[in-house]
């Protein structure tokens, strides 16, 4: 019989309250063996809150998944746990909130009572995934010595959040252009 976090065994009965084995378990090693023979044994365990332990629970606040409650000794500095909830779409974990106070995972706090740690989320950074030239009416043929012309040259940028952006190309975004020598199919980098 195992108690939930923050609870302890109060009484253990076998076949009714007349057979209280609680003290035998507390005086032993926390385990007890019973010879069974050919009869049925009904085991009843009664638990109570351990007054020396605080129970920490966790709320996903829009995230998903579960985190098990944790019992920690009261009035002792304890390490704030990592968040294992799955974030809402487009979000990342920011911090834990307890009654307006913010706690970062890995930091330490003195826990003096039961608390619910509520996950706070922030927007996930949006990163560039890929680009492609999406214009067809830009200049592609040059004469010797002619400067780069990016008029009507656009790219489509695909972002990590699933969005796309059309961006006008500027000359400082292009490298590899050189019209000082004749060539065919010159590769430029944007």
């Amino acid at each position: 019989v195992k108690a939930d976090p923050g609870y302890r065994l109060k009484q253990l009965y076998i076949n009714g309250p007349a057979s209280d084995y609680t003290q035998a378990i507390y005086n032993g090693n926390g385990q007890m063996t019973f010879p069974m023979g050919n009869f049925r044994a009904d085991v009843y365990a009664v638990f109570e809150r351990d007054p020396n332990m605080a129970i920490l629970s966790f709320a996903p606040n829009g995230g998903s998944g579960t985190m098990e409650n944790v019992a920690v000794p009261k009035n002792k500095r304890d390490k704030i746990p990592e968040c294992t909830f799955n974030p809402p779409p487009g979000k990342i974990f920011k911090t834990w909130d307890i009654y307006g106070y913010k706690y970062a995972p890995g930091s330490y706090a003195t826990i003096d009572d039961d608390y619910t740690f509520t996950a706070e989320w922030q927007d996930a950074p949006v990163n560039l995934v890929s680009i492609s030239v999406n214009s067809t009416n830009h200049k592609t043929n040059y004469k010797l010595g002619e400067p780069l012309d990016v008029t009507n040259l656009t790219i489509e940028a695909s972002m990590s959040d699933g969005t796309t952006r059309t961006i006008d190309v500027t000359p400082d975004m292009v490298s590899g252009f050189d019209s000082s020598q004749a060539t065919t199919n010159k590769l430029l980098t944007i």
Side-chain angles (χ1 to χ4, degrees):
V1 183
K2 183 178 179 184
D4 287 339
Y7 287 81
R8 64 182 180 187
L9 180 67
K10 181 178 180 182
Q11 291 178 308
L12 181 67
Y13 304 123
I14 298 184
N15 292 332
S19 60
D20 186 348
Y21 289 93
T22 309
Q23 198 57 45
I25 289 177
Y26 279 135
N27 291 339
N29 63 1
Q31 298 179 358
M32 185 166 248
T33 303
F34 302 96
M36 290 300 296
N38 290 330
F39 66 93
R40 178 182 153 181
D42 294 317
V43 179
Y44 301 93
V46 178
F47 299 96
E48 65 183 354
R49 278 297 305 269
D50 186 336
N52 300 311
M53 300 297 282
I55 298 176
L56 308 181
S57 58
F58 305 92
N61 190 26
S64 62
T66 59
M67 288 182 66
E68 297 295 322
N69 291 350
V70 176
V72 297
K74 284 185 177 178
N75 300 312
K76 176 184 168 271
R77 286 183 59 78
D78 218 300
K79 189 174 184 179
I80 304 300
E82 296 293 326
C83 176
T84 60
F85 290 125
N86 298 311
K91 301 287 185 179
I92 58 173
F93 180 75
K94 180 180 179 183
T95 189
W96 290 113
D97 178 84
I98 303 173
Y99 300 120
Y101 293 97
K102 311 301 181 198
Y103 295 92
S107 64
Y108 287 83
T110 300
I111 307 295
D112 60 356
D113 204 352
D114 296 345
Y115 291 106
T116 298
F117 285 68
T118 302
E120 284 195 349
W121 308 102
Q122 64 186 8
D123 291 335
V126 178
N127 299 310
L128 178 64
V129 175
S130 66
I131 64 170
S132 61
V133 174
N134 65 348
S135 59
T136 57
N137 59 346
H138 57 275
K139 186 172 178 79
T140 57
N141 295 311
Y142 290 87
K143 296 179 181 173
L144 283 175
E146 194 173 10
L148 176 66
D149 181 359
V150 293
T151 305
N152 298 323
L153 178 56
T154 60
I155 57 172
E156 183 175 275
S158 297
M159 309 307 286
S160 61
D161 64 355
T163 62
T164 57
R165 300 178 186 166
T166 299
I167 300 170
D168 292 329
V169 176
T170 61
D172 60 314
M173 296 167 67
V174 180
S175 64
F177 178 80
D178 181 6
S179 64
S180 65
Q181 298 176 15
T183 185
T184 59
N185 298 323
K186 176 77 173 171
L187 182 64
L188 302 180
T189 303
I190 299 177

